[in-house]
């Protein structure tokens, strides 16, 4: 495995400049948006990464190669379907076989659908719960035994402010994210006496493809420009009137993987521009 940048001192000693060098991360939903941003943040700190998610095969390969070359770490891709527990287990097996361990798990895969509760399609409810919540359980379940054996691990669940508060017409998403916060706390308690931590990151509005689709829907519904729809989206919930940046979430994930965060577990790290302070 290619390692990170090093500093050779006069004595011949080798001192790593990258604090996560030698660690291996699985980041789900990492072919775009928040997941790709977190994968880049971890790789920049010397962490090998396994990407996972949907997209056009050549575009995914281009991103994989670019990240590998930029960060000088090993980057692999696995196409595990987050609705399939067997595929999720295979993702962990693949990571351990190819890269030697699965030290960091970032459960980021997620989908969205909006409709009033009485009109919410059953199949959309089932898919959102499976991908946004159950996949995190299955991935943690598969990775935890080896993390505990090695007495080191980081599980980071990308939840949302919707894991803490609700919005209308998002029954499945809010239920899944609240469930993800609960799962985070349970894993944290079960691992509290070990070197394994589990925390959630709860962003407010981040300008990802998922949020972009909501902006376009607001514009279409209310006859607004994209700029007007963006302002309407932010003003309704996020007092800062600014999107949380993907890079902010990546930096938080890197921090939660650091030694400084070794006694931080079971928490919700909120990056929401004041949304939940109301």
């Amino acid at each position: 495995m290619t390692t990170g940048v090093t500093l050779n001192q006069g004595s011949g000693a080798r001192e790593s400049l990258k604090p996560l060098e030698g660690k291996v991360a699985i980041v789900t939903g990492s072919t775009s948006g928040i997941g790709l941003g977190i994968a880049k943040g971890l790789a920049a700190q010397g962490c090998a990464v396994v990407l996972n998610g949907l997209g056009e095969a050549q575009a995914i390969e281009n991103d994989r190669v670019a990240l590998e070359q930029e960060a000088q770490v090993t980057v692999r891709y696995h196409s595990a379907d987050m609705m399939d527990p067997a595929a999720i287990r295979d993702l962990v097996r693949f990571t351990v076989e190819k890269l030697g361990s699965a030290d960091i798990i970032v459960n980021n895969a997620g989908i969205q659908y909006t409709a009033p509760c009485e009109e919410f399609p059953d199949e959309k409810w089932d898919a959102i719960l499976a991908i946004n919540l159950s996949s995190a359980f299955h991935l943690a379940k598969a990775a935890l035994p080896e993390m505990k054996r090695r007495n080191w691990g980081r599980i980071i669940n990308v939840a949302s402010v919707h894991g803490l508060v609700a919005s209308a017409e998002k029954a499945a998403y809010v239920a899944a994210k609240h469930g993800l916060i609960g799962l985070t706390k349970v894993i944290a308690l079960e691992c509290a006496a070990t070197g394994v931590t589990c925390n959630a990151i709860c962003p407010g509005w981040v300008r990802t493809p998922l949020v972009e689709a909501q902006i376009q829907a607001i514009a279409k519904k209310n006859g607004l420009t994209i700029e007007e729809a963006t302002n309407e989206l932010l003003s309704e919930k996020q007092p800062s009137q600014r999107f949380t940046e993907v890079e902010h979430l990546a930096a938080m994930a890197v921090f939660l993987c650091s030694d400084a965060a070794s006694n931080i577990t079971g928490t919700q790290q909120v990056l929401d521009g004041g949304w939940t302070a109301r």
Side-chain angles (χ1 to χ4, degrees):
M1 180 174 66
T2 305
T3 58
V5 177
T6 60
L7 173 65
N8 293 318
Q9 299 183 344
S11 63
R14 181 176 179 278
E15 181 181 335
S16 173
L17 295 179
K18 296 189 175 182
L20 295 180
E21 186 174 344
K23 302 299 185 186
V24 178
I26 298 171
V27 185
T28 66
S30 54
T31 51
S32 66
I34 292 171
L36 182 57
I38 290 176
K40 289 179 177 179
L42 294 172
Q45 299 303 314
C47 188
V49 177
V50 176
L51 302 173
N52 159 266
L54 303 176
E56 195 272 320
Q58 190 58 55
I60 293 171
E61 176 62 10
N62 291 345
D63 285 341
R64 186 197 69 78
V65 171
L67 179 54
E68 190 168 66
Q69 292 177 346
E70 178 182 354
Q72 290 294 288
V73 297
T74 301
V75 180
R76 298 295 185 98
Y77 169 75
H78 191 286
S79 61
D81 179 352
M82 289 295 106
M83 293 184 69
D84 182 353
I88 293 169
R89 291 191 294 271
D90 187 65
L91 169 59
V92 175
R93 283 195 297 268
F94 168 88
T95 302
V96 173
E97 288 174 4
K98 298 297 184 182
L99 300 178
S101 62
D103 307 290
I104 298 165
I105 300 296
V106 182
N107 288 303
N108 173 72
I111 58 174
Q112 174 65 288
Y113 186 86
T114 61
C117 196
E118 68 274 19
E119 299 173 12
F120 213 95
D122 293 347
E123 65 275 12
K124 293 295 186 183
W125 171 273
D126 292 341
I128 290 171
L129 267 290
I131 293 173
N132 295 30
L133 175 57
S134 295
S135 69
F137 162 75
H138 292 299
L139 189 49
K141 180 182 177 181
L144 273 169
E146 185 64 12
M147 285 182 174
K148 287 182 175 180
R149 189 189 71 80
R150 295 163 67 97
N151 200 38
W152 199 97
R154 299 288 188 266
I155 297 174
I156 298 171
N157 295 322
V158 180
S160 165
V161 291
H162 282 116
L164 304 169
V165 296
S167 292
E169 301 192 353
K170 296 183 178 181
Y173 190 82
V174 170
K177 294 302 187 179
H178 271 66
L180 192 56
I181 296 294
L183 177 64
T184 298
K185 293 178 180 180
V186 170
I187 294 173
L189 290 174
E190 292 179 356
C191 298
T194 75
V196 179
T197 67
C198 183
N199 293 283
I201 296 176
C202 300
W205 292 130
V206 184
R207 197 152 193 169
T208 62
L210 198 67
V211 170
E212 200 67 51
Q214 294 184 58
I215 292 171
Q216 292 173 5
I218 291 171
K220 182 177 180 180
K221 179 180 178 181
N222 299 330
L224 303 174
T225 66
I226 292 298
E227 183 179 359
E228 289 169 338
T230 299
N231 291 335
E232 181 173 314
L233 181 84
L234 287 170
S235 62
E236 180 187 0
K237 301 286 189 181
Q238 201 142 303
S240 69
Q241 289 290 288
R242 300 189 307 275
F243 286 104
T244 298
E245 301 293 337
V246 169
E247 290 77 12
H248 299 160
L249 305 180
M252 178 57 73
V254 168
F255 169 69
L256 290 173
C257 292
S258 71
D259 290 341
S262 62
N263 205 33
I264 298 175
T265 194
T267 69
Q268 302 85 58
Q269 303 295 324
V270 183
L271 296 84
D272 69 351
W275 183 330
T276 54
R278 290 181 184 274

